[in-house]
Amino acid sequence: MSKKPVRVAVTGAAGQIGYALLFRIASGEMLGKDQPVILQLLEIPDEKAQNALKGVIMELEDCAFPLLAGIEAHSDPMTAFKDTDYALLVGSRPRGPGMERAELLSINGAIFTTQGKALNAVASRNVKVLVVGNPANTNAYIAMKSAPDLPAKNFTAMLRLDHNRAASQLAAKTGKAVAAIEKLAVWGNHSPTMYADYRNATIDGQSVKELINDEQWNREVFLPTVGKRGAAIIAARGLSSAASAANAAIDHMRDWALGTNGKWVTMGIPSGGEYGIPKEVMFGYPVTCEGGEYKIVQGIEIDAFSQECINKTLKELTDEQDGVKHLL
Ligand code: NAD
Ligand code: LMR
């Protein structure tokens, strides 16, 4: 094994998403089958959580993963994030039935101030941060603002689950393979206001919009289905999505680290003003990745309906941002 191990911190490591995530990271699905990893796992100090974490670690050991070069258990972000190259911030409360994700801000927001500060103090200066804990965009914004010595571009929020959900709905509608879908975009917040946009998408080179040719389906079925999918899963399972969320986190980090070969994917990233979004708003954009960097897809035409959708999701994000000023 020639590559040097990289350090991957995961918070909420004993939670549902953690359980669906860690084994896949350790098996090389996130950073490649030739990349050894050291897992730096963070849980709250509570005895029950730390015991649960011990159990997860025993299971990781029992897999004898060839790429797993080390496992550490932590209860303090200042040690968990030490020199970390990748940080997956999952740990936080999920919503229950009847709640909106934004309602979690008052419960979860403060976690990301503490963790942003810890990343700022001890993480690798090139750390790639993915925030999964909800509301993911605004929590990522809080972490970014709490880490002034790290580049803002290192902080991202997870919109990939919305992207994958949208792709899957389009494949089902057209009867085509999900892997054949290109140029799909999801704009804005990981919330029901997100705007899944298939106007430019193709399947096997054919226009998805032309294949479907049903604007009413777009507005009345597709957008609400993707936007409210998280709530539908909570209603069905009694728990929020976990395996699909972990899968999206793997996809997000893998694509960021290893590249997308020109394929569009969606990432929540701090705006640099693109498409009229104010700077620093943590916004879902279509991006391509290469050499460990993401790049926003430029030059997409925004029609009146799309602009209306983008304005709505932006307004929600700026309201959320205003609501967390006291944490910054
Ligand atoms: P869970 O309750 O099963 O697990 C969360 C874990 O985080 C718990 O073990 C808890 O002890 C731990 N935790 C809480 N505060 C912590 C802190 N300060 N530091 C470290 N660990 C901490 O929840 P889950 O189902 O794994 O979901 C985790 C989060 O991910 C929720 O906020 C959920 O809403 C969110 N989520 C986001 C997406 C997305 O697409 N962005 C998708 C699914 C779930
Ligand atoms: C999801 O989209 O499934 C997650 O964000 C969980 C939730 O609360 O919807």
Side-chain angles (χ1 to χ4, degrees):
M1 207 178 282
S2 56
K3 277 191 171 176
K4 188 171 165 265
V6 293
R7 297 181 172 275
V8 180
V10 179
T11 74
Q16 315 188 72
I17 295 176
Y19 198 68
L21 182 63
L22 296 173
F23 299 85
R24 295 185 61 190
I25 298 174
S27 73
E29 285 182 59
M30 187 170 89
L31 296 172
K33 296 285 181 186
D34 59 346
Q35 178 59 66
V37 294
I38 297 169
L39 289 175
Q40 305 186 166
L41 307 179
L42 179 68
E43 260 298 340
I44 49 173
D46 167 78
E47 193 184 337
K48 205 166 152 222
Q50 287 295 322
N51 271 336
L53 180 56
K54 279 192 192 121
V56 174
I57 290 177
M58 285 189 251
E59 287 205 67
L60 281 162
E61 288 166 352
D62 293 350
C63 293
F65 287 118
L67 290 170
L68 191 51
I71 319 176
E72 302 168 6
H74 295 273
S75 58
D76 179 351
M78 286 294 282
T79 55
F81 295 154
K82 182 90 181 83
D83 297 329
T84 196
D85 302 292
Y86 298 88
L88 291 89
L89 308 188
V90 179
S92 51
R93 262 262 299 279
R95 64 174 166 156
M99 288 172 79
E100 278 305 335
R101 296 182 191 101
E103 290 173 49
L104 292 172
L105 210 44
S106 55
I107 306 168
N108 289 337
I111 294 174
F112 296 87
T113 319
T114 311
Q115 294 189 355
K117 285 182 181 163
L119 286 163
N120 193 56
V122 299
S124 154
R125 299 300 85 182
N126 297 318
V127 62
K128 287 181 162 56
V129 182
L130 167 62
V131 175
V132 175
N134 276 319
N137 297 54
T138 299
N139 287 338
Y141 172 78
I142 296 171
M144 172 187 82
K145 295 297 279 181
S146 305
D149 302 327
L150 291 171
K153 70 177 171 61
N154 296 17
F155 289 81
T156 66
M158 194 161 94
L159 268 288
R160 185 57 176 265
L161 185 51
D162 306 291
H163 183 104
N164 289 349
R165 285 168 173 165
S168 179
Q169 292 297 321
L170 294 173
K173 177 74 176 168
T174 55
K176 305 274 187 181
V178 74
I181 299 178
E182 302 270 353
K183 299 192 173 175
L184 175 63
V186 182
W187 305 88
N189 200 3
H190 173 61
S191 90
T193 66
M194 58 91 234
Y195 173 43
D197 174 8
Y198 64 79
R199 292 170 306 132
N200 298 288
T202 60
I203 299 186
D204 293 332
Q206 284 178 280
S207 155
V208 172
K209 193 167 175 219
E210 283 170 22
L211 274 172
I212 293 174
N213 193 24
D214 187 347
E215 190 49 28
Q216 197 177 356
W217 178 82
N218 177 32
R219 295 182 192 200
E220 293 175 15
V221 180
F222 173 71
L223 286 173
T225 301
V226 179
K228 294 181 189 156
R229 188 69 160 187
I233 288 165
I234 291 169
R237 243 168 63 83
L239 287 168
S240 73
S241 65
S244 56
N247 179 67
I250 297 266
D251 284 350
H252 177 117
M253 280 305 210
R254 182 201 57 228
D255 286 349
W256 190 3
L258 305 181
T260 63
N261 276 325
K263 191 173 166 133
W264 297 13
V265 294
T266 300
M267 289 171 70
I269 57 176
S271 170
E274 296 81 357
Y275 294 99
I277 306 305
K279 283 192 176 160
E280 291 196 329
V281 173
M282 196 61 69
F283 204 76
Y285 279 109
V287 301
T288 55
C289 303
E290 196 183 341
E293 303 286 340
Y294 55 77
K295 207 160 69 190
I296 295 176
V297 178
Q298 302 284 353
I300 298 174
E301 194 196 320
I302 306 295
D303 61 18
F305 175 70
S306 303
Q307 192 62 59
E308 208 180 291
C309 294
I310 287 174
N311 291 348
K312 189 169 162 204
T313 195
L314 173 62
K315 164 90 173 58
E316 184 180 50
L317 274 171
T318 50
D319 285 351
E320 283 182 25
Q321 236 174 261
D322 286 344
V324 298
K325 279 197 176 125
H326 63 288
L327 293 173
L328 304 177

